[in-house]
Amino acid sequence: MFASPSRRAVLAGAAAVAAVAGVPVLTGRASAAGSSAYRWRNVVIGGTGFITGVLFHPSVRGLAYARTDIGGAYRWDDRAGRWIPLLDHIGWDDWNLLGVEAMAVDPAHPDRLYLACGTYAQAWAGDGAVLRSEDRGATWLRTDLTVKLGANEDGRGTGERLLVDPRDSDTLWLGTRHDGLLRSADRGATWAPVSGFPATASATGQGVTLLVAAGRTVYAGWGDGDDAHLFRTLDGTTWEAVPGQPSGPSARVPIRAAYDRHTRELYVTYADAPGPNGQSDGSVHRLRTGSGEWTDVTPARPDGAGDTFGYGGVAVDARRPGTVVVSTNNRWAAVDTLYRSTDGGRTWRSLKDTAVLDVTETPYLAWGEDAPKFGWWIQALALDPYDSGHLVYGTGATLYGTRDLRHWAPQVRGLEEASVTQLISPPAGRAHLISGSRDIGVMYHERLTASPAGGMATNPVSGSATGLAQAARRPAYVVRAGWGEHGNGAYSTDGGRTWAPFAAQPALAKDAPGPIATNADGSVLLWSFVHWDGTRHPAHRSADNGTTWSEVPSFPKGATPVADPADPALFYAYDTGTGTLLASTDGGRSFTARATGLPSGDSQFELVAAPGRTGDLWLSTKGNGLYRSTDGGVTFTGVDSCRAAHTLGFGRAADGAAYPAVYLVGSTGTVTAVYRSDDEARTWARINDDAHQWGWTGETITGDPRVYGRVYLATNGRGIQYGEPV
């Protein structure tokens, strides 16, 4: 969902394998000592992230897989009509493996599935891994690589970069971004570089963009340089550039390829950049593999200023020779489309022109007050080999499907990929949850089991949420902040159901919207500003519901304002640069230092106020532990029961308890997990299990103030998880 530039990782030694370990079957029950059994489910939104690949199994009806850039992989359950997550067992330390760079199935062995995992190729990210399963992803064996993969880098919609050799099911090929082509002769248990591959890897390029079998020949796309971009091996040993291949800017990067076994023709889509952004030109070419003849079969490009785009996905009809579908990509002026040909690419028809979109099940796809768009970032495209009318394609937010090439609807039940940043569980009202996420903004969840009927918060529409707050003593009043084109702040007087923009906003709000807070009675707003590059700016205050704003010089730049839930005059802020707690007793006009000498240096330290109390503050300092103050931040005491604290929240107290339940993502020993305490953090019970970990979960957590034991957890790629005792 957010791409970063890549750096090269060096392949050490002939075999790029560090460890092989089994992963248990997902059970859904906690088994560790001091744990409490919970049932975990997704809060339903529907999709919300970039579907980077979809793969129908060629020899099993109804079996399909999907991969995402940051949210793992899924298997389609045809009987239930929903996707089953396959990587929720990935734990905190392995969060980088939730990005799936590529996937492969074995046509001869339907139960085998392979995933190449690794979200970032940056120096600070962990190395990639290959996961292999003999039971369609129910259990896994893992091989750690010594190269980095980039499932959330530019080019993440190309592929697939992983392939089972058509000659031998024990042989696999893996294309990397910066370390060339790898080969395994033992079904992915060990890997070695292919020394004879003719292209030279670079530290900043795309490397191998795709691998595809055409009969017994394997083709590899190459995304770097200005020379050959498509290679092949006829014997599994010797590689060569494919003769006569297209060249020029429109054929610079091979994006995807599909083989029509009936006509023995290979179709390749190209663009001038890897995408999903930055493409302005592209083409589609057909190779007759028997004769070596190339033909440019690019659909006629419509005339129109600004109508620039590349090509992305390609799929052939296994039942109808010569029938092929391709997608445009990065076509913002006229909106992307799918082109379908029934004569081998000689003529094309745009499927968008006759499409009827039904987003009833996921209303947010209407993007506020606008009609739903056919798609954008279309690089994943798949055609059911058993049903010529069943076509699916991925976008930056969902997976659309059709059974008749005319009526389209999201096919994303069970697939949730939101990167969540904000959670509020109101103490009263229709909704038990209000959320804020990257890309899809703020949502009001009337039901946890259905996508919000109102979709994204509108008036204004905004993308990534940066702040969300509720007045503790006036819960009908809610404020939000985020990135948008028509104002980046808004308020609600009906608990978050409807919104109105602030009458004015500070100039900083346009380019640096950050966290926002409102005091206990909703009479004062404090808005902090942080640019996307990390630059911090002075906070601003409003006492007239956003009509006028004034700078607060004494507020630490970029800090998160925290309102006291009981006293409207009190605000708090934690200066992570100096390890100082500051407080305001005049409604946010001025701040003065209280406790000093606390842990410093990490901007993601979190300060939380316990509900219904004045001056009861909890400070999560990641690996430095958890601290508590009961005097408004004058003094803090370390919480001995907690070794690490990443995020903390509160929910309804247990029966007979005088203090709210405390929920924590952190560790009490060696395991980073989700915990609940019913006795003010004296003791903890782990409430997730090894089957339900979801990678990195350190953004935010909150309990439900109306339902004891229910907790809402933000993930970075697996949406909102909510757990309840069983």
Side-chain angles (χ1 to χ4, degrees):
M1 297 164 73
F2 297 97
S4 302
S6 303
R7 295 183 180 177
R8 185 179 183 184
V10 178
L11 182 64
V17 55
V20 179
V23 177
V25 176
L26 307 188
T27 63
R29 293 281 184 147
S31 57
S35 63
S36 177
Y38 260 61
R39 180 188 182 190
W40 290 93
R41 289 171 285 180
N42 264 114
V43 174
V44 173
I45 302 175
T48 71
F50 189 19
I51 313 299
T52 49
V54 180
L55 188 62
F56 283 102
H57 199 285
S59 56
V60 180
R61 182 187 293 271
L63 179 59
Y65 298 95
R67 63 176 169 96
T68 67
D69 51 3
I70 64 171
Y74 294 79
R75 181 183 68 248
W76 177 252
D77 185 331
D78 199 44
R79 179 173 298 180
R82 63 185 298 108
W83 294 95
I84 307 300
L86 301 180
L87 299 186
D88 283 357
H89 66 274
I90 297 294
W92 179 272
D93 293 336
D94 289 323
W95 65 267
N96 190 54
L97 300 185
L98 266 183
V100 182
E101 177 91 292
M103 55 188 175
V105 298
D106 187 339
H109 297 86
D111 291 339
R112 291 181 184 171
L113 173 65
Y114 302 92
L115 301 178
C117 300
T119 308
Y120 296 105
Q122 310 304 306
W124 45 262
D127 290 337
V130 172
L131 304 184
R132 56 196 197 279
S133 175
E134 297 282 346
D135 51 17
R136 306 185 184 188
T139 61
W140 297 95
L141 293 176
R142 167 177 162 179
T143 295
D144 290 326
L145 304 172
T146 56
V147 304
K148 297 181 187 298
L149 305 180
N152 197 31
E153 307 268 351
D154 284 348
R156 57 198 183 274
T158 64
E160 295 294 327
R161 286 176 160 103
L162 185 64
L163 179 71
V164 176
D165 191 278
R167 299 166 174 265
D168 177 14
S169 289
D170 288 344
T171 298
L172 275 74
W173 303 91
L174 173 61
T176 73
R177 292 167 175 267
H178 312 305
D179 298 279
L181 183 64
L182 307 184
R183 180 179 179 272
S184 171
D186 51 13
R187 301 212 303 271
T190 60
W191 293 85
V194 177
S195 59
F197 191 70
T200 302
S202 74
T204 58
Q206 284 293 307
V208 178
T209 60
L210 66 86
L211 292 163
V212 64
R216 294 168 65 84
T217 301
V218 174
Y219 290 82
W222 186 255
D224 299 336
D226 296 320
D227 297 324
H229 294 287
L230 194 68
F231 301 90
R232 70 184 179 191
T233 178
L234 304 176
D235 58 7
T237 301
T238 304
W239 288 83
E240 64 177 357
V242 178
Q245 63 182 275
S247 60
S250 67
R252 184 181 180 278
V253 181
I255 303 299
R256 287 185 173 266
Y259 179 63
D260 188 331
R261 61 183 177 86
H262 298 290
T263 63
R264 297 178 63 197
E265 294 172 326
L266 182 71
Y267 295 87
V268 186
T269 57
Y270 291 89
D272 58 349
N277 284 318
Q279 295 176 341
S280 60
D281 198 2
S283 59
V284 183
H285 293 263
R286 184 188 68 208
L287 170 65
R288 295 189 186 275
T289 58
S291 65
E293 176 190 358
W294 282 92
T295 304
D296 186 338
V297 294
T298 308
R301 184 176 290 268
D303 294 330
D307 192 12
T308 60
F309 54 89
Y311 284 89
V314 57
V316 297
D317 192 330
R319 305 171 67 85
R320 298 179 178 178
T323 297
V324 59
V325 183
V326 299
S327 71
T328 65
N329 187 70
N330 203 49
R331 187 187 189 191
W332 296 105
V335 182
D336 280 300
T337 187
L338 304 183
Y339 287 108
R340 181 174 183 263
S341 173
T342 58
D343 55 13
R346 285 184 287 275
T347 61
W348 298 91
R349 177 171 68 93
S350 172
L351 298 183
K352 178 187 70 175
D353 296 345
T354 56
V356 178
L357 293 180
D358 179 3
V359 298
T360 303
E361 193 166 313
T362 52
Y364 80 91
L365 288 171
W367 297 111
E369 300 170 353
D370 296 331
K373 301 295 190 296
F374 189 77
W376 69 101
W377 284 13
I378 305 178
Q379 295 187 294
L381 174 64
L383 185 54
D384 190 336
Y386 291 89
D387 182 354
S388 297
H390 186 195
L391 182 64
V392 298
Y393 67 91
T395 77
T398 192
L399 184 73
Y400 279 112
T402 182
R403 295 283 182 172
D404 61 6
L405 303 182
R406 174 175 169 80
H407 297 88
W408 301 81
Q411 293 189 353
V412 287
R413 290 182 183 177
L415 197 160
E416 301 285 350
E417 206 204 344
S419 175
V420 186
T421 60
Q422 316 284 332
L423 293 173
I424 291 175
S425 186
R430 291 176 52 181
H432 280 251
L433 183 67
I434 308 171
S435 68
S437 299
R438 295 181 176 93
D439 297 338
I440 59 170
V442 169
M443 292 192 179
Y444 178 86
H445 301 265
E446 304 96 328
R447 298 165 55 196
L448 303 179
T449 56
S451 187
M456 296 170 58
T458 60
N459 196 23
V461 174
S462 62
S464 296
T466 61
L468 182 63
Q470 185 172 44
R473 287 170 40 183
R474 184 187 162 198
Y477 185 74
V478 188
V479 293
R480 62 179 170 93
W483 293 93
E485 297 179 357
H486 306 290
N488 292 340
Y491 67 95
S492 172
T493 57
D494 55 11
R497 291 180 60 198
T498 62
W499 297 86
F502 297 138
Q505 63 178 18
L508 288 166
K510 182 178 185 296
D511 296 318
I516 193 169
T518 180
N519 66 344
D521 63 9
S523 61
V524 175
L525 304 175
L526 276 182
W527 197 350
S528 185
F529 298 100
V530 183
H531 195 265
W532 63 267
D533 64 3
T535 304
R536 297 174 162 224
H537 302 279
H540 283 63
R541 175 184 184 272
S542 176
D544 52 14
N545 198 36
T547 300
T548 60
W549 297 86
S550 58
E551 184 178 317
V552 184
S554 55
F555 186 90
K557 291 181 179 180
T560 299
V562 175
D564 190 277
D567 187 343
L570 287 176
F571 280 97
Y572 310 98
Y574 188 69
D575 186 342
T576 58
T578 63
T580 302
L581 188 287
L582 295 91
S584 171
T585 60
D586 56 5
R589 293 181 180 85
S590 62
F591 283 78
T592 57
R594 290 188 174 179
T596 60
L598 293 164
S600 62
D602 196 309
S603 62
Q604 295 185 16
F605 289 169
E606 180 186 54
L607 182 69
V608 182
R613 291 155 174 78
T614 294
D616 190 349
L617 305 176
W618 297 72
L619 178 64
S620 297
T621 61
K622 303 179 79 171
N624 294 300
L626 178 64
Y627 296 81
R628 184 184 180 189
S629 172
T630 56
D631 56 11
V634 176
T635 60
F636 277 87
T637 302
V639 177
D640 293 337
S641 63
C642 184
R643 186 185 65 83
H646 298 278
T647 183
L648 179 139
F650 302 91
R652 183 180 177 89
D655 289 345
Y659 197 83
V662 184
Y663 296 93
L664 170 79
V665 175
S667 64
T668 59
T670 59
V671 178
T672 301
V674 186
Y675 296 89
R676 187 193 73 227
S677 175
D678 295 331
D679 57 9
E680 297 186 55
R682 287 186 287 274
T683 61
W684 299 91
R686 182 183 178 185
I687 59 175
N688 74 323
D689 54 72
D690 290 347
H692 299 87
Q693 300 193 83
W694 317 286
W696 192 82
T697 53
E699 189 81 41
T700 188
I701 189 172
T702 188
D704 193 310
R706 290 176 269 177
V707 182
Y708 167 70
R710 182 188 289 172
V711 59
Y712 306 97
L713 175 66
T715 75
N716 185 42
R718 277 290 288 123
I720 306 165
Q721 301 288 334
Y722 75 102
E724 296 178 302
V726 295

